[in-house]
Amino acid sequence: MFLRSHHIRSQQILCVIATMIAWGNVSLALAQSSDSARSAIRLKPTTTVSRTQVRLGDVADIIDNNPARRAELQNLDLAKFDQNSELTLDRSFIEIRIQLAGFERSTIAISGEEIVTITPPLPVTLTDLGIEELVHAKLCHQFAVLPEDLNVKLVTPFMTNAGLDPQRLQHPRIEVMPVSQLPLGRPQLTIRIFGNEQIAFARSATFEVTRRQNVVVAATSLDRSNQIDSENVREEVRFVDSHLDQLKASQLVGRRVSTPLRPGDIVTSRHVGEVVVEEEPILVQPREPVRLIAKKGRLVVTIPVAEALQAGRKGQLIRVRNIQSNQIVTGEVVGRGEVHVRLP
C-alpha cells in the first residue's frame, strides 16, 4: 500500500493501521520464520528519490545476513511521492509500517534519524551544460560546499557522444556515481542516463573541478635558503585544483625556502623548511686572550690572562689554558672574552 502526503504525521498512523488491517494486506509469513537474526536499519537524514513510490531501501541502509529478508525490507513500500515537493517520514511511522508488513519488532534494530526528508531529483536537462550543472550540484551537496565556492566544467562533449535522442527518453534521470572525496583537478566521473528507470547510456567523463580557498602566495621572488619575512608573502582567495594546506602567512614567516618561488606562486608547506633559529654570536675565538674566573663555594679566583683554545658562544663549554701554570681547564662562556670555571 502507498500513502500520499507532504508530511506523514504521527496522528495519521492510527488511520494507516486501521486501513491496512481492514484491507487484510498484512502478511505474517516472516513473523513466523525460524530465522530470528536481527536486521539493522539505519535511517538517513535526507535522500533523493526519482520514482513515484518510496521504498524502505531509499530511506535507510539495511544490513541483514538473510538475503531474502534484506531484499523484502528494501522493497517495502512506504509512501507515494509526487516529486513536486519534499516528503518527510517519521521514524515511528516507518517502524509501524515494518511491523504491519509482518516483521517481528524484536528482530529489527532501527537507528538513525527521527525524520527522513525525501527530495525530488534535480530537473534533468540532457545537454552538456545540464551535465555540468548536475555534477556541480551533486558535489556541492555530497561534500557540503557552497555553490559559489566550486567550479565544474566538462572537458570533452558528453551528450554528443552518447548518441541519444532526448525526446525519446521517458522520465529521464541522470546519475553521478559517488566518489569518496571531493575530486579536484581533472577527475573522471561516471555518468549514467536513465529512461523509465532503465540505463540508456553510461560512460566516464572528464571534468575540471576547482574550489575557492584562502591561500598564501609569494609577493617577491624567493630562492632556496631565503628566509621568509612578512614582506615576502601575502594571503589571497583563489580557485585551486588540488587539496592544499590551510595556511596563514604568519605561519610561514621565519621559515627557510626549500623550492624557488616566483611572485604569485602559491606557497605550501612543501615549499618551505623549518623555522630558522638564529644562533648566539661567537663571544670567544680560538687563541684569544680571555679572563678566567674560577669559583669554589664562596671562593672566587680571577686569572686576568688566559688563552681560549676553542671558539664559543654564550653558555657553551670550551677549553682554556692558564698561561701562568700552563694548565688546561674547561669553562663556560658567560660573556665576550670571559670564561667561568666551577671547581669541585
Side-chain angles (χ1 to χ4, degrees), residues 21 49 55 66 79 94 114 128 171 188 217 228 240 245 253 268 319:
I21 293 175
V49 176
R55 300 168 182 168
N66 184 325
I94 296 173
E114 290 294 333
D128 285 349
H171 307 294
Q188 283 197 331
V217 301
I228 296 176
V240 297
D245 303 323
V253 172
T268 67
R319 296 166 68 233

Side-chain angles (χ1 to χ4, degrees), residues 139 142-143 177-183 189 243:
L139 293 179
Q142 182 180 354
F143 298 102
M177 298 302 290
V179 290
S180 58
Q181 67 172 356
L182 182 63
L189 303 177
H243 296 277

Side-chain angles (χ1 to χ4, degrees), residues 214-268:
N214 292 321
V215 296
V216 179
V217 301
T220 61
S221 294
L222 293 169
D223 295 325
R224 287 189 183 92
S225 300
N226 284 156
Q227 184 178 347
I228 296 176
D229 60 34
S230 58
E231 301 298 321
N232 299 140
V233 291
R234 65 174 182 269
E235 295 179 13
E236 291 184 1
V237 177
R238 290 189 182 180
F239 278 91
V240 297
D241 60 3
S242 61
H243 296 277
L244 300 178
D245 303 323
Q246 295 282 355
L247 294 176
K248 297 289 186 182
S250 58
Q251 294 175 278
L252 300 177
V253 172
R255 294 183 179 271
R256 198 178 298 280
V257 177
S258 58
T259 302
L261 294 164
R262 296 171 299 178
D265 285 349
I266 295 177
V267 187
T268 67

Side-chain angles (χ1 to χ4, degrees), residues 255-320:
R255 294 183 179 271
R256 198 178 298 280
V257 177
S258 58
T259 302
L261 294 164
R262 296 171 299 178
D265 285 349
I266 295 177
V267 187
T268 67
S269 56
R270 68 181 180 85
H271 293 111
V272 298
E274 297 298 323
V275 175
V276 177
V277 178
E278 295 292 341
E279 294 185 316
E280 293 283 345
I282 296 177
L283 301 179
V284 175
Q285 295 288 351
R287 306 190 68 81
E288 182 178 82
V290 296
R291 185 171 67 162
L292 185 62
I293 299 177
K295 296 181 178 182
K296 182 175 182 179
R298 295 184 179 182
L299 178 63
V300 179
V301 178
T302 301
I303 302 172
V305 181
E307 181 185 26
L309 301 180
Q310 295 174 281
R313 295 181 171 86
K314 185 175 181 179
Q316 288 185 331
L317 297 178
I318 65 170
R319 296 166 68 233
V320 180

Side-chain angles (χ1 to χ4, degrees), residues 37-293:
R38 294 174 69 87
S39 301
I41 299 173
R42 182 172 182 81
L43 300 180
K44 304 173 184 178
T46 61
T47 188
T48 299
V49 176
S50 59
R51 296 183 300 272
T52 57
Q53 61 190 40
V54 180
R55 300 168 182 168
L56 183 59
D58 296 324
V59 303
D61 296 317
I62 303 172
I63 300 175
D64 195 315
N65 292 329
N66 184 325
R69 182 165 61 182
R70 182 173 181 271
E72 189 155 356
L73 282 168
Q74 287 180 322
N75 293 323
L76 181 62
D77 298 326
L78 296 180
K80 277 278 190 179
F81 186 34
D82 61 15
Q83 299 188 10
N84 291 322
S85 60
E86 289 186 347
L87 173 70
T88 57
L89 300 179
D90 295 334
R91 184 201 283 194
S92 57
F93 166 79
I94 296 173
E95 290 177 342
I96 292 176
R97 178 69 184 94
I98 292 171
Q99 292 179 61
L100 289 175
F103 293 88
E104 291 186 8
R105 183 66 184 89
S106 60
T107 66
I108 304 294
I110 301 180
S111 62
E113 304 299 318
E114 290 294 333
I115 294 179
V116 180
T117 301
I118 303 161
T119 59
L122 295 171
V124 173
T125 304
L126 293 179
T127 63
D128 285 349
L129 179 59
I131 298 290
E132 282 184 4
E133 292 175 345
L134 179 71
V135 171
H136 179 268
K138 291 285 187 180
L139 293 179
C140 287
H141 176 74
Q142 182 180 354
F143 298 102
V145 179
L146 293 175
E148 60 268 24
D149 288 342
L150 195 71
N151 282 338
V152 176
K153 182 179 179 181
L154 186 63
V155 175
T156 55
F158 183 85
M159 290 305 302
T160 303
N161 299 330
L164 295 176
D165 181 1
Q167 303 299 324
R168 300 183 63 181
L169 284 180
Q170 295 183 354
H171 307 294
R173 176 169 67 89
I174 302 174
E175 180 179 87
V176 183
M177 298 302 290
V179 290
S180 58
Q181 67 172 356
L182 182 63
L184 298 180
R186 291 172 68 93
Q188 283 197 331
L189 303 177
T190 301
I191 309 297
R192 301 199 300 182
I193 299 177
F194 291 78
N196 275 341
E197 293 304 312
Q198 299 294 321
I199 296 179
F201 184 75
R203 186 171 68 86
S204 294
T206 302
F207 294 84
E208 286 183 355
V209 183
T210 57
R211 182 176 185 175
R212 189 200 307 267
Q213 182 174 320
N214 292 321
V215 296
V216 179
V217 301
T220 61
S221 294
L222 293 169
D223 295 325
R224 287 189 183 92
S225 300
N226 284 156
Q227 184 178 347
I228 296 176
D229 60 34
S230 58
E231 301 298 321
N232 299 140
V233 291
R234 65 174 182 269
E235 295 179 13
E236 291 184 1
V237 177
R238 290 189 182 180
F239 278 91
V240 297
D241 60 3
S242 61
H243 296 277
L244 300 178
D245 303 323
Q246 295 282 355
L247 294 176
K248 297 289 186 182
S250 58
Q251 294 175 278
L252 300 177
V253 172
R255 294 183 179 271
R256 198 178 298 280
V257 177
S258 58
T259 302
L261 294 164
R262 296 171 299 178
D265 285 349
I266 295 177
V267 187
T268 67
S269 56
R270 68 181 180 85
H271 293 111
V272 298
E274 297 298 323
V275 175
V276 177
V277 178
E278 295 292 341
E279 294 185 316
E280 293 283 345
I282 296 177
L283 301 179
V284 175
Q285 295 288 351
R287 306 190 68 81
E288 182 178 82
V290 296
R291 185 171 67 162
L292 185 62
I293 299 177

